[in-house]
Amino acid sequence: MPAPLGRTPVEWLGAHGVLSDRTLCIHVVQADPGDIERLARANAAIAHCPLSNRAHGHGDAPLARLLAAGLRVGLGTDSVLSVGTLDLLADARAARALAGLDAATSLSLCTRDAARALGVGSETGSLVAGYWGDCVVIRAPAGMAGASAEEQVLASGPREVLATFVGGRDVHRIGPPV
């Protein structure tokens, strides 16, 4: 996107009072170090969609620098128009490869960190008493014996999702009750 009036989009947003702890920036592919600093000062959050960025040829977001700056980053899938099948774990694998993350950190971008980015980290994102009863039941992929639980979940995909619960309600199930 061309810079409005010689500024980066992040500079423009900052100059117009848009950046705050309630701002959720989507993609943030072309952020330079100054932009990252501005976003961090404002405590803005980022929705990172690596597969959508790749599909549209926009480039890779500076994920490692965003995380190092302490920004609240959560993963998104964007839309079926940009990536076809929505697979948050595929985006987690792409984020892992992009920033050299371990499996646990990659999964946290889908759970705790995503909840923090959306401003609901004190209500959901972790299996904690008093939080929303959100849970996904995943069958371990074949050939993963001995791998950590995080590695097994990260290696899975839509075919391994057996059930999904939102707010404690059963909203998706394949096969017999789990």
Side-chain angles (χ1 to χ4, degrees):
M1 169 185 346
L5 303 176
R7 298 178 178 169
T8 70
V10 173
E11 286 175 314
W12 188 90
L13 291 170
H16 287 83
V18 175
L19 297 179
S20 75
D21 61 345
R22 297 186 59 189
T23 304
L24 178 65
C25 300
I26 313 300
H27 300 292
V28 191
V29 176
Q30 302 298 325
D32 64 28
D35 290 335
I36 294 170
E37 185 180 316
R38 280 179 201 82
L39 292 168
R41 265 196 322 267
N43 195 27
I46 311 295
H48 177 52
C49 308
L51 294 180
S52 175
N53 295 340
R54 190 173 301 152
H56 291 289
H58 297 309
D60 294 325
L63 179 59
R65 288 185 302 194
L66 296 171
L67 294 172
L71 282 157
R72 296 174 293 134
V73 179
L75 281 178
T77 56
D78 205 6
S79 74
V80 293
L81 295 175
S82 64
V83 294
T85 301
L86 299 180
D87 182 351
L88 191 57
L89 294 172
D91 273 284
R93 290 188 296 273
R96 179 186 198 180
L98 178 63
L101 306 175
D102 60 33
T105 302
S106 300
L107 291 175
S108 187
L109 290 172
C110 302
T111 56
R112 285 186 302 264
D113 295 337
R116 284 183 51 241
L118 294 173
V120 293
S122 63
E123 302 170 33
T124 190
S126 300
L127 291 176
V128 175
Y131 279 33
W132 302 346
D134 298 345
C135 185
V136 177
V137 179
I138 297 175
R139 173 183 33 242
M144 296 289 298
S148 70
E150 292 91 347
E151 291 289 353
Q152 290 183 39
V153 170
L154 194 59
S156 70
R159 289 183 301 202
E160 286 82 31
V161 175
L162 301 177
T164 304
F165 301 88
V166 177
R169 292 178 302 109
D170 185 343
V171 296
H172 171 77
R173 184 182 301 264
I174 294 177
V178 290

